[in-house]
């Protein structure tokens, strides 16, 4: 359901139709024609002038049959059209293969990011909360210095930041 593939399939169909049209040049061509002519006004016929009204005066039918005798050029055009069909079909197959590989790659990337987000949601964020909670409690009790407290909070914030980046990539 990719627009690029739809375009490629349309190009294949066009090339096949062109090939069919080139092959049709080898077949005999039948033509049939009919015409009718009328005249109106004064016409000089011989020594006298005759007035013609608009009634049909001349009618004819023509039938023609043309048979290609020298077909070397047409045969080379047919071979060229066949080659074009093969080239376009190969291009379409290559494009299909590229799109399938791209889809597979994107699905693998999606699965990887899904697992990464799941890891952060199930383990890493809880650890970051514990680090932050324990660091705050230890700092309030005076067990750690301000530098150690800020390093612990920075570690927790880096974990949350990594989670948010993973979530953004996943989305």
């Amino acid at each position: 359901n990719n627009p690029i593939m739809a375009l490629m399939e349309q190009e294949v169909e066009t090339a096949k139709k062109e090939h069919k049209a080139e092959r049709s040049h080898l077949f005999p061509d039948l033509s049939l024609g009919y015409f009718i002519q009328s005249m109106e006004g004064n016409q000089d016929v011989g020594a006298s002038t005759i007035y013609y009204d608009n009634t049909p005066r001349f009618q004819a039918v023509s039938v023609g049959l043309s048979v290609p005798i020298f077909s070397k050029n047409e045969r080379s055009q047919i071979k060229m059209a066949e080659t074009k069909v093969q080239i376009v079909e190969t291009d379409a197959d290559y494009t299909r293969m590229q799109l399938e590989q791209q889809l597979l790659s994107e699905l693998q990337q999606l699965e990887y990011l899904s697992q990464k987000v799941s890891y952060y949601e199930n383990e890493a964020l809880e650890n970051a909360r514990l680090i932050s909670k324990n660091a705050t409690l230890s700092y309030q009790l005076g067990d750690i210095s301000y530098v150690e407290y800020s390093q612990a909070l920075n570690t927790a914030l880096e974990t949350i930041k990594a989670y948010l980046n993973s979530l953004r990539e996943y989305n």
Side-chain angles (χ1 to χ4, degrees), residues 5 11 18 37 43 53 67 71 73 83 85 90-91 96 98 102 107 109 117 121 123-124 127 156-158 164 170:
M5 278 312 302
E11 287 180 8
E18 288 174 0
Q37 182 176 1
Q43 298 290 324
D53 57 0
V67 180
S71 62
N73 185 37
T83 304
V85 168
T90 303
D91 285 347
R96 180 178 294 110
Q98 278 185 321
Q102 184 179 359
L107 288 174
Q109 181 72 9
V117 167
E121 288 175 345
E123 295 178 27
N127 290 341
L157 288 175
E158 288 297 323
L164 291 174
Y170 176 75

Side-chain angles (χ1 to χ4, degrees), residues 72-102:
K72 186 175 182 181
N73 185 37
E74 284 81 10
R75 292 191 191 282
S76 66
Q77 293 292 333
I78 291 170
K79 286 193 182 282
M80 188 172 70
E82 286 174 0
T83 304
K84 183 178 179 182
V85 168
Q86 292 172 352
I87 289 171
V88 172
E89 284 176 339
T90 303
D91 285 347
D93 291 340
Y94 178 71
T95 302
R96 180 178 294 110
M97 200 168 65
Q98 278 185 321
L99 289 172
E100 287 173 353
Q101 289 299 321
Q102 184 179 359

